[in-house]
Amino acid sequence: GAVVSQHPSRVICKSGTSVKIECRSLDFQATTMFWYRQFPKQSLMLMATSNEGSKATYEQGVEKDKFLINHASLTLSTLTVTSAHPEDSSFYICSAGRREISETQYFGPGTRLLVL
Amino acid sequence: EDQVTQSPEALRLQEGESSSLNCSYTVSGLRGLFWYRQDPGKGPEFLFTLYSAGEEKEKERLKATLTKKESFLHITAPKPEDSATYLCAVQANDYKLSFGAGTTVTVRA
């Protein structure tokens, strides 16, 4: 299998607080992990790419100081939304890539963030 | 810049009514073309990877094909449980995925 988990699945927070989302590959070691954002009825937009032990690479227009990514091990990556605002409310999805299968990305179940 | 266009945007089918979804793409250095299924409020579920023109893959009622410019996802005799949004994505040499907007399929019993 290729199972990826995310925690929490849903979070509601007040404006100005920080929120951490965890992404874990449960049954394989991920070469690379990716973070996406999805707005209602829209497709996935890549935010950043992270490799274990190195700094994340952010897509154009994504604020690296606002969306902090840590990739501590081959099975765990975290996304911290700092000083969250209502416009950060969205569906955040991570994926983990398996290089032995041509870097096929397996996705987590997503985290619904609502900032009040 | 990589571009992925999916059509139609939405597809309503009667149970048993076969149809095809289209994914046209432009990419410099295609490593693979991926099809995913996404149910509402959930992450995408991997279906297929196609690597070269002429390749075909099947899984239950789904069959994916690839040419140099487009891919098709054929749904044969669909059931209501096949209702979902189907996403196409291309992977370039940097291993990143560029997604299309998706086709939302609704299968009525």
Side-chain angles (χ1 to χ4, degrees), chain B residues 45-65:
Chain B
E45 174 189 345
F46 171 71
L47 293 174
F48 304 108
T49 311
L50 301 167
Y51 297 102
S52 57
E55 189 175 2
E56 299 182 351
K57 288 192 176 173
E58 288 188 66
K59 180 180 179 180
E60 296 181 356
R61 295 176 293 282
L62 301 177
K63 179 180 178 180
T65 61

Side-chain angles (χ1 to χ4, degrees), chain B:
Chain B
E1 184 180 327
D2 302 340
Q3 286 196 324
V4 182
T5 304
Q6 291 188 247
S7 62
E9 185 175 318
L11 190 60
R12 294 177 65 86
L13 301 172
Q14 198 68 34
E15 184 172 5
E17 178 188 3
S18 301
S19 188
S20 294
L21 285 57
N22 178 264
C23 171
S24 61
Y25 64 91
T26 55
V27 62
S28 53
L30 178 72
R31 293 191 68 90
L33 184 140
F34 294 77
W35 283 97
Y36 290 88
R37 167 193 171 127
Q38 186 175 27
D39 293 306
K42 297 187 177 180
E45 174 189 345
F46 171 71
L47 293 174
F48 304 108
T49 311
L50 301 167
Y51 297 102
S52 57
E55 189 175 2
E56 299 182 351
K57 288 192 176 173
E58 288 188 66
K59 180 180 179 180
E60 296 181 356
R61 295 176 293 282
L62 301 177
K63 179 180 178 180
T65 61
L66 180 66
T67 72
K68 288 186 177 181
K69 294 183 178 180
E70 57 191 351
S71 177
F72 292 92
L73 183 66
H74 308 278
I75 309 179
T76 302
K79 297 182 178 181
E81 53 262 43
D82 295 323
S83 298
T85 296
Y86 291 86
L87 299 170
C88 169
V90 294
Q91 183 187 61
N93 288 327
D94 58 5
Y95 293 104
K96 296 179 184 178
L97 291 179
S98 297
F99 280 88
T103 295
T104 299
V105 175
T106 304
V107 182
R108 297 165 291 172

Side-chain angles (χ1 to χ4, degrees), chain A:
Chain A
V3 182
V4 178
S5 70
Q6 270 184 254
H7 178 78
S9 59
R10 183 185 296 266
V11 57
I12 301 173
C13 68
K14 292 182 178 180
S15 186
T17 60
S18 294
V19 174
K20 179 185 283 189
I21 303 170
E22 285 190 354
C23 176
R24 293 180 184 272
S25 56
L26 299 183
D27 54 0
F28 66 100
Q29 292 187 328
T31 317
T32 309
M33 286 186 166
F34 303 83
W35 287 95
Y36 294 82
R37 185 172 180 177
Q38 187 175 34
F39 290 105
K41 298 193 182 299
Q42 293 187 26
S43 194
L44 284 76
M45 295 300 296
L46 179 65
M47 298 175 66
T49 304
S50 73
N51 292 288
E52 183 255 348
S54 60
K55 289 185 178 181
T57 302
Y58 291 82
E59 295 300 298
Q60 192 172 7
V62 177
E63 298 176 61
K64 62 179 181 180
D65 294 330
K66 181 165 190 62
F67 298 100
L68 301 179
I69 293 172
N70 182 275
H71 195 154
S73 74
L74 286 173
T75 61
L76 173 64
S77 177
T78 60
L79 168 69
T80 302
V81 183
T82 62
S83 186
H85 288 97
E87 57 265 31
D88 298 324
S89 299
S90 190
F91 191 50
Y92 293 87
I93 313 174
C94 74
S95 71
R98 296 189 69 171
R99 182 149 291 173
E100 64 269 26
I101 316 180
S102 192
E103 202 69 20
T104 296
Q105 291 185 30
Y106 294 90
F107 285 82
T111 297
R112 177 75 59 190
L113 171 63
L114 178 60
V115 184
L116 302 176

